[in-house]
Structure formats: C-alpha cells, structure tokens
C-alpha cells in the first residue's frame, strides 16, 4: 500500500534528520554488506508534501484502500502512529 511506503520513507527521513543516517543493517540483519548506512535528504517542499499526505491519512484513514484490509481498531492505531510521525517530521524541518 502506498501509505505504508510513504510512512516508511517519512520514518527513515526523520531518523536521518535526527541522527544523520540510517543503518539498514539494524533494520534487516540478513543484508550482506559491510556498511549499511544511508542518508536520505528532502527539501522543504518534499517534506511539506510528505507531511500533507501523512496528515491526510491520519485524519481520514477510511478514505484509503488499506482500510479495506484492516480491522477498524488497527486502522485507527495506524492513523495515530502516522499522525505522531507527521508531527515529529514537521518539528525537524
């Protein structure tokens, strides 16, 4: 689902802004590489777009296709998490 991709990207961007990079080896220990560190950057317009999408999902999760695949309680929990992610990302701009 697209909202999963957007929220994952936002979480990675937030981690990069807070710590300078993300170590992919900490996310997936099956990767076969020596250095799994990556840095994701985004300008103000890109960040604003991400925040807009996250905010829209947090406010209207039933409008997204993923709502058909999840229990309402789980969807509401995901919307709350996405809303918190949006707030954290907006603070780090």
């Amino acid at each position: 689902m697209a909202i999963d991709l957007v929220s994952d990207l936002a979480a990675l961007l937030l981690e990069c802004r807070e710590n300078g990079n993300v170590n992919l080896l900490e996310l997936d220990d099956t990767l076969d590489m020596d250095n799994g560190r990556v840095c994701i950057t985004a300008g103000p317009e890109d960040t604003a777009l991400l925040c807009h999408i996250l905010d829209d999902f947090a406010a209207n999760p039933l409008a997204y296709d993923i709502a058909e695949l999840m229990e309402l309680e789980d969807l509401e929990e995901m919307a709350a998490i996405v809303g918190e992610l949006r707030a954290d990302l907006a603070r780090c701009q």
Side-chain angles (χ1 to χ4, degrees), residues 18-89:
E18 290 179 343
N19 298 308
N21 60 59
V22 174
N23 187 346
L24 297 177
L25 297 173
E26 291 177 3
L27 302 174
D28 183 351
D29 61 1
T30 64
L31 294 174
D32 185 22
M33 60 179 63
D34 293 329
N35 181 2
R37 295 193 183 279
V38 296
C39 180
I40 299 171
T41 60
E45 290 178 7
D46 296 325
T47 302
L49 178 60
L50 274 175
C51 285
H52 173 74
I53 295 167
L54 296 171
D55 194 41
D56 186 67
F57 178 79
N60 307 298
L62 291 172
Y64 287 74
D65 291 341
I66 199 168
E68 298 172 10
L69 304 173
M70 298 179 72
E71 297 291 327
L72 182 58
E73 183 178 318
D74 295 334
L75 185 64
E76 289 172 344
E77 181 180 342
M78 182 179 178
I81 292 168
V82 166
E84 291 172 15
L85 176 59
R86 183 248 176 248
D88 291 344
L89 188 58

